[in-house]
Amino acid sequence: MKFLLVAVNAKYIHSNPAIYSLYAYAEAKYGHMIEIAEYTINQRTEDILAMIYERKPDAIGFSTYIWNWNVISEILSNLSKVLPDTDIWLGGPQVSYNADQVLAQFPNVKGIMVGEGEVTFSEILEKYEKGNVNDFASVDGLCLRTGYTKPRGMTDLSGLPFLYHNMEPFTNRIIYYESSRGCPYRCSYCLSSIDKTVRLRDMDLVKKELDFFLKNKVNQVKFVDRTFNCAHDHAMEIWKYLYEHDNGITNFHFEISADIIKDEELEMLNKLRPGQVQLEIGVQSVNARTLEAINRKMDLERLEYVVAKIRESHNIHQHLDLIAGLPYEDYDSFGRSFDRVYGMRPDQLQLGFLKVLSGAPISSQTEKYGIVYTKQPPYEVLYTNWLSYSDVIRLKKIEEMVEMYYNSNQFINTLNYLVKAFKSPFAMFESLADYFEEQGCFINSPSRAYRYVVLLDFANKYDEGKEEIYKELLTYDLYLRENMKSRPDFCKTITDEKHKKYRLSFYREEEKTRHFLPELSQYDGRQLSGMTHLEPFKYPVWDMEKMLHNKEIPESVNDQEYYILFDYSRKNPLTKEAFTILNLPKGSAPIGK
């Protein structure tokens, strides 16, 4: 008997912890019966169907989520045509809260595993092995043609085996890890609000498993804990362990509630290696009435304080989220939420849109709030009593601008200077979205190089008379991230004799002294000039405080050019920016890390 567990992931880099957890729990007794197959939503469904067919499973189980349900639905519609004798099972959040409706939609599905599936799956395998294929009604946690069986009790998290032993299937992929289940909060848009009991995995097990990741030098471990720091001692002990056992490589991702972070936790976080940890912080809205309506309690002032304290240490990437389409949040209110979160200066600011998930409390409140959403996944909001469909369309375009220009981290200095020309950050991205629309850029999908040109033209329109400053800001942003050999047209020429002579003399001198690039001592001057970049600037683009606080750039700056050396062998582990050295007429000093 062969039971094939199938995952259809969003991207190849992702893995599916659900099917690996099912396998790990059942492996000791039934491992000989189980096979695993992983695909992505980017593959053709006919190709996935063909590959499943070639495995010839006796039973198959799909792990279903909001992002793969359309693909899996299409596969289900044809699977029994090519494998008529194969039993089909489903599990996962997409089908757990409306299982009877899914069974009605797909008559070829034998049953659905509702909720946590490790024990349930193992008992299903037991029935198959013993030939009791007509006795699934005695298995808890199922929805069958005959109805629901007895609800499955909560799993002892410490009783679950570790998912990872052989790292070969996870090469160059994100590793997902779970140290707790459940969430103490009751946010009405979230399925985690249903599981009200927080269960913690035994700390000795957690440390042993973290040590496995560290010894194997895994690139990234993403904790799937819904609110990682809801138990202070648990979070502190894990962060302390990571601090004391850092391997210099592995990055750990945590989803946290920032406003409950204690000062002791802040002190520990600020000690971590730059790039060792990244934090995802859900803000969702700053509208008090909205937060109350979605049962979200949050101390915004404390959240701002925590985000600022973490940012001061320049060692942790912070990702802050907002959700459009929540109750009582209209277009202007969302703009105010955006501005307040933007003011916290996150490394990434994600604009999400409300998804009405089956089983989430808000799914029963849609009529109350006038929430209309798409019939098919991702069940995303179309409009509400406060937000029109036109508003949603415009916010989608603003979201694209934020992703392209802010979250890419490729235009940070230019945006920091440009934003002062607008009444607010939200107004800037509004205008940028409108400009993209006017220029037809949404249709043409401009290349990365062209995005710099579009931003320059936009800046010239809304902050007139400063074209040379914006050219230099964009040049600085460009070379911070890439040693461009083909210079965009907006960059000043550096082919005249003065620049050529300066650069030639600099690299000749560096070959002798190794003053600026000691880590590259094995390379000669010609090689150094190819591995680094030396760029002249007229304005102090490296000093945003000076740029922002001087309405007029000081004349003394205009009298001379400053050279900046971009060293790409030393990049900031957080921002990925090149290490920069300002070459002043009377000496040189590093200006970046």
Side-chain angles (χ1 to χ4, degrees), residues 47-61:
D47 291 339
I48 297 174
L49 181 66
M51 286 184 279
I52 292 174
Y53 171 80
E54 290 171 350
R55 302 286 285 264
K56 296 294 194 296
D58 299 293
I60 183 169

Side-chain angles (χ1 to χ4, degrees), residues 226-280:
R226 297 312 302 161
T227 304
F228 172 75
N229 62 318
C230 64
H232 166 73
D233 293 341
H234 181 81
M236 268 298 295
E237 198 160 352
I238 289 176
W239 283 334
K240 183 180 179 183
Y241 187 84
L242 296 180
Y243 170 69
E244 293 173 348
H245 297 83
D246 180 30
N247 63 5
I249 295 172
T250 306
N251 165 268
F252 293 89
H253 176 104
F254 301 95
E255 185 173 337
I256 69 164
S257 183
D259 60 313
I260 64 170
I261 285 276
K262 297 183 179 181
D263 289 341
E264 181 187 14
E265 291 169 283
L266 278 177
E267 291 175 12
M268 177 53 64
L269 288 170
N270 290 339
K271 292 179 182 178
L272 297 172
R273 163 179 58 86
Q276 185 178 0
V277 160
Q278 61 189 51
L279 301 176
E280 182 173 351

Side-chain angles (χ1 to χ4, degrees), residues 452-468:
Y452 285 86
V453 176
V454 173
L455 191 58
L456 176 60
D457 292 342
F458 174 75
N460 288 337
K461 177 178 179 179
Y462 285 93
D463 199 12
E464 296 179 358
K466 298 179 181 177
E467 182 173 6
E468 294 306 311

Side-chain angles (χ1 to χ4, degrees), residues 3 91 98 131 374 519 522:
F3 197 113
N98 59 343
T374 59
E519 295 85 357
Q522 69 270 40

Side-chain angles (χ1 to χ4, degrees), residues 274-275 314 567 570-579 592-593:
H314 303 288
D567 179 5
R570 291 181 284 174
K571 285 194 173 183
N572 186 307
L574 206 61
T575 65
K576 310 304 179 186
E577 294 179 353
F579 186 86
K593 295 181 180 179

Side-chain angles (χ1 to χ4, degrees), residues 551-564:
K551 293 183 179 179
E552 300 295 334
I553 302 301
E555 288 298 323
S556 59
V557 175
N558 295 331
D559 292 339
Q560 58 193 353
E561 284 185 321
Y562 293 71
Y563 281 85
I564 292 180

Side-chain angles (χ1 to χ4, degrees), residues 79-96:
L79 186 58
S80 294
K81 297 175 184 177
V82 296
L83 290 172
D85 298 323
T86 298
D87 288 348
I88 301 172
W89 295 87
L90 304 177
Q94 176 62 25
V95 297
S96 281

